[in-house]
Amino acid sequence: MDNVIDFINVNREKYLDELKALLAIPSVSALPQHADDVKRCAAWCAEEMKRIGLQNVRLIDTPGNPVVYGDWMGAPGAPTMLFYGHYDVQPVDPLDLWESPPFEATIRDGEIYARGSADDKGQVFMHFKAVEAHVRQNGRLPINMRFMLEGEEEVGSLHLDDFVRAHKADLKADVVVISDSGMFDRGVPSMCYGLRGLVYFQIDLRGSSTDLHSGMFGGAVANPALVLTQILAQMKDRGGRIKIPGFYDKVRPLEEAERQAWAKLPFNEKKYRKDFGIPKVFGESGYTTLERTWARPTFEINGLLSGFTGEGAKTVLPAVAMAKVSMRLVPDQDPETIMNQFEDYVRKIAPKTVELKITRMQGGKPWMTSFDNPFVQAASRAIERGFGRAPVFTREGGSIPVVSTFQEELGLPSVLFGVGLPDENAHAPNEKLDISNFHNGIIAAAYLYDEMARVAVPA
Ligand code: BES
Ligand code: MN
Ligand code: MN
């Protein structure tokens, strides 16, 4: 391994320039005007995968954006790892809040700033470099490897479940590795063993065929903006508990051992409030902040739109009101059941004074694994070697829907090997990645393949 690690250390500076080229491609999957950029990014990844020594590299078309596939299967008897990541990124708005252009990666204070630096191009790139180092130095990898990069993660992986089902043989493996999650804190590497699921809706209300003069009609016609807020106000009680009937039926209670372990993590609520400008934390009573984000479901309004929001005043009764809302789910909540419960509840509480339309946008199941899995243990040793400190075990509040698909369709456990920090502005202006975590992540990934190679697998 020493020669592999030496190679990584020697090339350290070069990696940042290479990563900049990947970060320069605005592969925003949510916006049609970036469709060509998304394709260009897939092609860039395919080229890079060939260059670092992966074989059978190809773009596989889906009804949406292509999956980039490549493999190296030259280690008979050793395990096969399926690497999953995404090359698409979130939109950059509000653009004026970026301190440097989102697609011109810029280095400041030990961080590389660009859209996609942490989520997820920078983390995918760590594995490109770890593979390259093994192949250049030893002419081989210690394990068999299949790479699969998707281009629709940030819009809900709409075609990925079908893709996995249609390519079961191509994806045959022993374990999935994903670097698309976080690390607990600076200097506190972690292994994530649980993710929340997600359901997402748009609610549209219409109260009249056109905007109305609020003097001539106000008081006699329901205001859809007010009705919408009244509906939304009935989603949570004052203690932060969600009021959708049946919502908590399948929620797996937190285990006492888990609560105790999390209570020992170096979480500083005061700093958390300060870092994110939060006057006072709020959440379901009876739970700590970590418990609320990792192990409890929630309901959020992601966006609200209605009426006059320009400068000055306009006396108008808006014709329509719209909200985007989502719920994060935890084991063993089922997205389909929750979607039905939510729709039933909204239909029940919405008054007849407005037309109601509910649109299902995306969904994904929650996921959790037990960490006595030998691959998780191998990953934890690799993290210790890369970061100089054994990882703490965490769950996270974010969602990666395909993780449960890998489990259900391919029977594969996943190892979440993430190095993003909570303050790295994923999905927000000034997204960044800590350069020393990036570098240590490459080293840890190089060790990961080596550690995983020693896990015994059925022939
Ligand atoms: N990388 C994130 C998921 C994530 C974030 C995992 C933080 C662990 C910690 C991913 O790119 C993402 O943003 N997922 C979406 C899922 C959605 C679009 C279906 C999310 O969590 O909102
Ligand atoms: Mn991601
Ligand atoms: Mn994301």
Side-chain angles (χ1 to χ4, degrees):
M1 275 304 289
D2 287 354
N3 61 340
V4 175
I5 304 306
D6 285 347
F7 183 90
I8 294 170
N9 283 320
V10 166
N11 287 287
R12 191 179 172 127
E13 292 304 316
K14 211 175 79 190
Y15 293 160
L16 287 172
D17 285 329
E18 293 179 15
L19 174 60
K20 281 182 184 174
L22 174 57
L23 294 172
I25 308 172
S27 50
V28 182
S29 50
L31 302 174
Q33 65 264 38
H34 285 294
D36 286 345
D37 298 317
V38 172
K39 297 236 152 53
R40 190 154 57 87
C41 193
W44 192 99
C45 291
E47 271 317 302
E48 173 71 5
M49 282 160 58
K50 280 182 205 159
R51 214 185 51 75
I52 61 178
L54 292 175
Q55 299 168 352
N56 301 309
V57 175
R58 56 186 195 267
L59 298 183
I60 308 179
D61 279 328
T62 73
N65 298 329
V67 168
V68 192
Y69 176 88
D71 59 29
W72 190 89
M73 301 298 287
T80 300
M81 123 179 191
L82 172 62
F83 177 80
Y84 162 85
H86 61 95
Y87 64 83
D88 65 324
V89 298
Q90 285 274 331
V92 297
D93 58 289
L95 186 59
D96 52 315
L97 294 184
W98 284 80
E99 281 165 35
S100 52
F103 298 109
E104 283 172 38
T106 307
I107 292 169
R108 292 194 295 277
D109 307 325
E111 311 260 1
I112 180 161
Y113 285 81
R115 172 57 86 230
S117 53
D119 186 11
D120 180 31
K121 289 173 174 175
Q123 299 205 54
V124 167
F125 200 73
M126 295 181 329
H127 289 271
F128 286 164
K129 296 302 100 177
V131 167
E132 179 184 49
H134 275 283
V135 174
R136 289 282 180 280
Q137 294 295 72
N138 298 333
R140 63 187 307 278
L141 289 168
I143 49 172
N144 300 299
M145 178 105 64
R146 299 181 191 276
F147 256 72
M148 155 185 181
L149 306 180
E150 78 152 316
E152 298 183 285
E153 199 277 343
E154 298 293 11
V155 287
S157 303
L158 287 180
H159 304 100
L160 204 61
D161 283 1
D162 284 344
F163 179 90
V164 170
R165 275 190 283 269
H167 292 87
K168 280 192 176 171
D170 295 322
L171 302 175
K172 200 172 171 317
D174 299 291
V175 62
V176 176
V177 171
I178 302 177
S179 287
D180 189 24
S181 56
M183 147 166 170
F184 185 75
D185 198 359
R186 285 199 159 64
V188 189
S190 52
M191 284 286 322
C192 171
Y193 64 93
L195 293 168
R196 291 197 288 192
L198 183 76
V199 294
Y200 201 114
F201 294 91
Q202 178 169 327
I203 305 176
D204 286 281
L205 299 187
R206 177 174 285 282
S208 51
S209 53
T210 175
D211 283 1
L212 302 171
H213 190 294
S214 71
M216 294 162 68
F217 294 88
V221 178
N223 181 322
L226 187 74
V227 172
L228 182 59
T229 57
Q230 287 170 329
I231 291 172
L232 295 174
Q234 291 175 68
M235 291 298 152
K236 270 188 187 180
D237 71 15
R238 283 172 169 273
R241 229 181 129 77
I242 292 148
K243 289 162 68 176
I244 301 166
F247 186 81
Y248 289 96
D249 285 357
K250 292 282 159 62
V251 171
R252 198 190 299 175
L254 254 162
E255 282 177 25
E256 202 41 47
E258 213 171 17
R259 298 188 93 160
Q260 283 173 14
W262 295 356
K264 290 196 198 99
L265 293 174
F267 179 71
N268 181 338
E269 192 149 291
K270 218 168 156 182
K271 182 167 183 300
Y272 175 83
R273 279 196 286 109
K274 190 167 162 280
D275 283 354
F276 300 103
I278 301 160
K280 188 174 191 290
V281 296
F282 171 76
E284 192 183 357
S285 41
Y287 295 92
T288 66
T289 294
L290 289 182
E291 290 169 354
R292 285 168 178 168
T293 50
W294 292 355
R296 298 298 296 172
T298 191
F299 175 93
E300 300 300 344
I301 301 172
N302 301 106
L304 269 180
L305 192 67
S306 184
F308 178 69
T309 56
E311 243 177 86
K314 181 183 181 205
T315 48
V316 66
L317 212 162
V320 294
M322 186 274 275
K324 308 255 188 192
V325 303
S326 62
M327 283 146 263
R328 294 281 168 179
L329 311 180
V330 299
D332 300 303
Q333 286 177 301
D334 168 52
E336 189 67 28
T337 309
I338 299 292
M339 287 197 254
N340 292 331
Q341 288 170 343
F342 170 75
E343 290 180 0
D344 289 349
Y345 183 53
V346 173
R347 293 225 162 78
K348 190 174 143 245
I349 63 181
K352 298 277 175 293
T353 52
V354 291
E355 268 172 39
L356 164 68
K357 191 172 132 209
I358 308 175
T359 311
R360 296 183 178 196
M361 314 271 295
Q362 41 186 244
K365 290 184 183 169
W367 167 83
M368 200 157 128
T369 183
S370 75
F371 43 86
D372 50 23
N373 179 306
F375 288 109
V376 175
Q377 293 303 319
S380 128
R381 289 193 296 276
I383 288 178
E384 181 161 5
R385 303 188 77 167
F387 288 83
R389 184 170 166 181
V392 297
F393 285 82
T394 65
R395 281 157 75 172
E396 292 216 59
S399 309
I400 308 177
V402 73
V403 179
S404 73
T405 310
F406 287 138
Q407 183 67 56
E408 285 172 13
E409 296 292 335
L410 306 177
L412 295 184
S414 285
V415 167
L416 265 65
F417 192 79
V419 306
L421 288 168
D423 67 357
E424 287 185 329
N425 303 324
H427 296 200
N430 305 309
E431 179 177 349
K432 59 186 174 175
L433 179 66
D434 182 289
I435 292 170
S436 66
N437 286 343
F438 169 67
H439 184 69
N440 291 341
I442 299 172
I443 294 176
Y447 278 121
L448 175 71
Y449 313 154
D450 196 53
E451 290 286 349
M452 283 192 167
R454 291 175 222 187
V455 175
V457 287

